Amino acid sequence: MNNEIKECCCASDFMPVEKLRELQLMRLQKIVAHAYNNVEFFRNRMNEKNLKPSDIETLADISKLPFSKKVDLRDTYPFGLCAVPMSEVVRLHASSGTTGKPIVVAYTKEDLDVWAEVMKRGLAGAGLSKNDIIQVAYGYGLFTGGLGAHCGSEALGATVVPASVGNTQRQVMLMRDFGVTGVCCTPSYFLHLIEQAAQSGIDMRELPIRVGIFGAEPWSQGMREQLEKGAGIEAFDIYGLSEIIGPGVAIECTEHSGMHVFEDHFYPEIIDPDTGEVLPDGEFGELVLTTLSKYAMPMIRYRTRDLTRIIAEPCKCGRTIRRIDRISARSDDMFIIRGVNVFPSQIESALLTVPGVTANYLIILTTENGMDNIEVDVEISQEAFSDQVKILESLQKNISKAIESVIGLRIKVKLVAPQTIARSEGKAKRVIDKRTQIG
């Protein structure tokens, strides 16, 4: 790691493990007391378990604390989980709320400083510095992505292009004309940018852009390869969620061997999603996070529903903070077809092993004669597109076999022509569930 990048990181990234654990315990005890004293919801939950903040004497005692879930934020909408008076809240963010009440999160000035700090550390770990020009193509506004990446880039000292989402041709123009070297957006949207650039006669591989920070939706190794090949960049996976702080909870370094969790601010656990039992490092399960330094709206043992594992082995980059594996799936994204658990990420991984297939696809769920069925509409590349039936039939068969080898089911595959599946400017919509429409 060059000295300039290391200077942008934080001492906590390289802190001796025993010192880091001492810091975590101190912050855990302080945040638990803060939540208990100021949030009736947490106080009631702890009282139900006959717990007091003084009972948290070691880090292992975190397992005594009750879990919190997304429904808790909806049930206490909008400010029931605030732990400070509104006079100390300087910003509010919220989810889109398309399936009910939105998830509202609040920040003090100090909380925003922490957010900018962890984003800065993450961007530095991906090789970005004050010498870079970073285009932020996440949505701004109530969504945490845009402002989170923006403030972190500014804290880094980089030049920020606050493009937000949409106006794709203009996005490409800005990248070319401003000499953009880094971009932050969803992986599906960057794939769309590559396609739009090509249609305008612009080869993204010839632009100065060299780093892509991609998050806000699950994406596979196959998608990484398409992005890196299509734009000549190095792609980094970033993880975060509004309920905790926004983007910047964890991010890959240049070793690409998992995402470093900034665990001086976010304490990670892995639990069995069915029993709630804490699992040892290295075992796959559901990620649970506790904010150690977010005071407007602290979250204690928040169940993310994201499935991963903690990697405790030292990273070659020298950081001592632990890593989490790529998010393999979300437990609430799973659907069951003929008794088999299926995740969209499994289907994407299978698709992108087949030459001639793009990363644009739709999973369509239906019910026929009381049985759930699945169809995958797959967009093929311009190079693979053919008017010869035999060629298309062979490609369709290869796709079906690839999916079956991963999920163990033979499902219906429908090939569609290039550029026919709608592109998204934000999070890609991969699943259309028509099962509820069946009488």
Side-chain angles (χ1 to χ4, degrees), residues 94-341:
S95 68
S96 60
T98 55
T99 57
K101 290 181 179 179
I103 299 302
V104 177
V105 287
Y107 302 79
T108 65
K109 173 62 171 65
E110 292 74 21
D111 294 338
L112 292 181
D113 290 343
V114 168
W115 193 8
E117 176 206 319
V118 293
M119 277 300 303
K120 171 188 173 182
R121 289 159 64 181
L123 296 172
L128 293 165
S129 73
K130 64 182 180 182
N131 299 314
D132 284 290
I133 300 173
I134 301 175
Q135 185 157 322
V136 179
Y138 285 119
Y140 281 63
L142 291 177
F143 175 61
T144 55
L147 281 167
H150 181 115
C151 294
S153 299
E154 283 190 339
L156 185 67
T159 302
V160 185
V161 182
S164 192
V165 296
N167 207 338
T168 303
Q169 292 291 347
R170 183 178 175 85
Q171 297 264 8
V172 174
M173 180 192 76
L174 295 176
M175 288 181 181
R176 180 193 62 196
D177 296 349
F178 290 0
V180 168
T181 54
V183 66
C184 301
C185 63
T186 63
S188 57
Y189 186 53
F190 192 71
L191 190 67
H192 183 41
L193 287 171
I194 294 172
E195 293 173 340
Q196 289 297 302
Q199 289 178 17
S200 302
I202 298 172
D203 187 343
M204 293 275 273
R205 294 170 297 185
E206 296 178 356
L207 300 184
I209 183 170
R210 60 186 181 81
V211 171
I213 309 294
F214 303 121
E217 63 187 20
W219 54 296
S220 64
Q221 181 62 27
M223 173 73 90
R224 183 199 297 274
E225 292 167 3
Q226 286 209 0
L227 297 174
E228 293 187 334
K229 181 179 179 182
I233 63 167
E234 187 174 1
F236 291 81
D237 198 359
I238 189 171
Y239 175 76
L241 58 167
S242 297
E243 301 93 311
I244 298 301
I245 204 163
V249 173
I251 189 172
E252 287 182 315
C253 69
T254 52
E255 294 296 328
H256 298 286
S257 59
M259 294 180 284
H260 288 278
V261 180
F262 296 112
E263 55 174 326
D264 51 322
H265 294 293
F266 316 109
Y267 189 80
E269 300 172 86
I270 298 294
I271 66 167
D272 182 312
D274 296 323
T275 66
E277 176 190 0
V278 178
L279 301 176
D281 288 354
E283 290 196 23
F284 278 92
E286 179 184 345
L287 178 64
V288 171
L289 291 167
T290 296
T291 57
L292 299 178
S293 50
K294 187 168 183 283
Y295 279 83
M297 194 175 283
M299 295 306 299
I300 308 297
R301 301 198 80 201
Y302 184 76
R303 295 189 61 163
T304 67
R305 299 296 182 185
D306 292 321
L307 304 178
T308 183
R309 68 185 178 108
I310 290 176
I311 305 170
E313 294 78 20
C315 183
K316 291 180 181 178
C317 75
R319 288 176 180 81
T320 53
I321 51 177
R322 290 173 294 176
R323 291 161 286 155
I324 54 172
D325 217 333
R326 174 186 290 274
I327 302 298
S328 60
R330 285 184 57 85
S331 60
D332 48 4
D333 282 347
M334 184 186 77
F335 43 87
I336 301 174
I337 302 295
R338 298 194 287 278
V340 177
N341 296 343

Side-chain angles (χ1 to χ4, degrees), residues 10 12 57 59 172 190 233 243 252 323 352 369 403 407:
C10 175
S12 297
E57 298 177 339
L59 278 176
V172 174
F190 192 71
I233 63 167
E243 301 93 311
E252 287 182 315
R323 291 161 286 155
L352 295 182
N369 300 320
I403 294 174
I407 68 174

Side-chain angles (χ1 to χ4, degrees), residues 24-151:
Q24 288 173 321
L25 177 58
M26 179 190 71
R27 288 181 171 175
L28 175 64
Q29 290 169 329
K30 188 175 179 181
I31 203 72
V32 169
H34 175 68
Y36 183 88
N37 292 329
N38 295 287
V39 183
E40 182 181 8
F41 171 87
F42 285 123
R43 185 163 57 251
N44 290 342
R45 285 280 180 91
M46 287 180 65
N47 287 343
E48 287 171 4
K49 297 172 73 76
N50 293 316
L51 275 176
K52 295 290 186 290
S54 58
D55 294 323
I56 306 305
E57 298 177 339
T58 68
L59 278 176
D61 289 336
I62 195 172
S63 64
K64 299 176 181 178
L65 294 167
F67 293 114
S68 52
K69 302 178 182 179
K70 180 172 285 191
V71 68
D72 298 329
L73 284 98
R74 290 202 171 106
D75 289 346
T76 56
Y77 171 90
F79 306 131
L81 294 186
C82 270
V84 299
M86 289 304 293
S87 60
E88 295 182 25
V89 173
V90 299
R91 191 191 298 172
L92 296 171
H93 280 282
S95 68
S96 60
T98 55
T99 57
K101 290 181 179 179
I103 299 302
V104 177
V105 287
Y107 302 79
T108 65
K109 173 62 171 65
E110 292 74 21
D111 294 338
L112 292 181
D113 290 343
V114 168
W115 193 8
E117 176 206 319
V118 293
M119 277 300 303
K120 171 188 173 182
R121 289 159 64 181
L123 296 172
L128 293 165
S129 73
K130 64 182 180 182
N131 299 314
D132 284 290
I133 300 173
I134 301 175
Q135 185 157 322
V136 179
Y138 285 119
Y140 281 63
L142 291 177
F143 175 61
T144 55
L147 281 167
H150 181 115
C151 294

